[in-house]
């Protein structure tokens, strides 16, 4: 059986993102899953965390019109058996859970959250053998029309995006890179507006496998 792990992008990525990191509760990491990178944000939950993210879904459910609007706490299937939910409590507060989604949401509701810097992106990745699920959050003055991911010199791919109703000023993205293997090169995430201008970007070196 494959071992699922949550990988935090690390200090370099957080410095480039320019903030303290996004509050995130991660549920259902099947043993012997564990966090195998340094957590660099202010965390107040034992549920697990994700700090700087990118994500590359195979045939991501996105278009060029921006994020899908979802209800608070609504579980959204994002690949690799994971569900993502956005919370109105806190700042850029969301969950990614493989199991016990409702429990993960309840834990996250007690968090104040950690606000990432304005006009920036956070992110991380869940690793299950050769399968990788990239996730993260954006906080931008303008809602991105699209967010893309590139690993090394590879092709730029579209990420799925979610946001809450109204004008929350933030949202999340995800990408299911099934079979791609753990990234070995620089990961770049870029948010674009409708004119193709860059709203925010992030580049980081992925943490090496712990074993």
């Amino acid at each position: 059986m494959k071992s699922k792990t949550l990988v935090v992008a690390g200090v370099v990525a957080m410095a480039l993102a320019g903030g303290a990191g996004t509050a995130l509760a991660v549920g259902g990491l099947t043993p012997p899953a564990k966090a195998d990178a340094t957590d660099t944000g202010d965390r107040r939950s034992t549920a697990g965390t994700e700090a700087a993210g990118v994500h590359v879904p195979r045939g991501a459910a996105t278009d060029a019109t921006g994020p899908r609007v979802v209800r608070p706490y609504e579980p959204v299937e994002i690949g690799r058996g994971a569900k993502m939910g956005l919370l109105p409590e806190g700042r850029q507060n969301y969950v990614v859970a493989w199991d016990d989604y409702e429990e993960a949401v309840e834990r996250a509701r007690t968090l104040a959250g950690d606000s990432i810097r304005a006009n920036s992106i956070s992110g991380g990745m869940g690793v299950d053998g050769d399968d990788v699920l990239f996730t993260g959050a954006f906080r931008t003055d303008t809602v991105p029309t699209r967010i893309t991911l590139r690993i090394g010199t590879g092709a730029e791919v579209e990420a799925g995006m979610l946001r809450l109703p109204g004008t929350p000023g933030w949202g999340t993205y995800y990408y299911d890179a099934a079979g791609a293997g753990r990234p070995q090169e620089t990961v770049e995430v870029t948010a674009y507006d409708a004119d193709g201008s860059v709203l925010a970007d992030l580049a980081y070196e992925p943490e090496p496998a712990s074993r």
Side-chain angles (χ1 to χ4, degrees), residues 2 7 11 13 25-26 43 48 55 63 68 80 88 90 104 108 110 114 146 153 155 162 164 167 179 183 185 187 199:
K2 295 178 181 178
V7 180
V11 177
V26 179
R43 299 293 183 264
H55 145 231
D63 52 33
R68 169 185 166 188
R80 305 301 94 211
T110 65
D114 295 310
R146 64 191 186 103
T153 58
L162 305 175
L164 294 172
T167 55
E185 301 176 273
V187 178
L199 297 173

Side-chain angles (χ1 to χ4, degrees), residues 14-101:
M14 288 312 307
L16 290 173
T22 298
L24 170 70
V26 179
L29 290 178
T30 306
K34 57 185 177 60
D36 63 0
T38 303
D39 180 6
T40 60
D42 176 17
R43 299 293 183 264
R44 288 176 288 278
S45 171
T46 59
T49 54
E50 177 181 20
V54 178
H55 145 231
V56 188
R58 190 177 309 282
T62 71
D63 52 33
T65 62
R68 169 185 166 188
V69 177
V70 297
R71 301 184 308 275
Y73 319 115
E74 179 182 347
V76 178
E77 299 282 351
I78 61 172
R80 305 301 94 211
K83 295 177 181 178
M84 174 179 280
L86 281 62
L87 284 66
E89 297 90 354
R91 302 166 296 180
Q92 293 89 59
N93 196 0
Y94 67 103
V95 300
V96 175
W98 280 265
D99 299 296
D100 299 322
Y101 174 81

Side-chain angles (χ1 to χ4, degrees), residues 64-66 142-146 191-199:
T65 62
T142 300
V143 178
T145 299
R146 64 191 186 103
Y192 297 94
D193 67 10
D195 295 328
S197 299
V198 174
L199 297 173

Side-chain angles (χ1 to χ4, degrees), residues 177-206:
R182 179 187 292 267
Q184 302 297 318
E185 301 176 273
T186 300
V187 178
E188 299 179 7
V189 192
T190 308
Y192 297 94
D193 67 10
D195 295 328
S197 299
V198 174
L199 297 173
D201 55 16
L202 169 70
Y204 68 90
E205 302 297 325

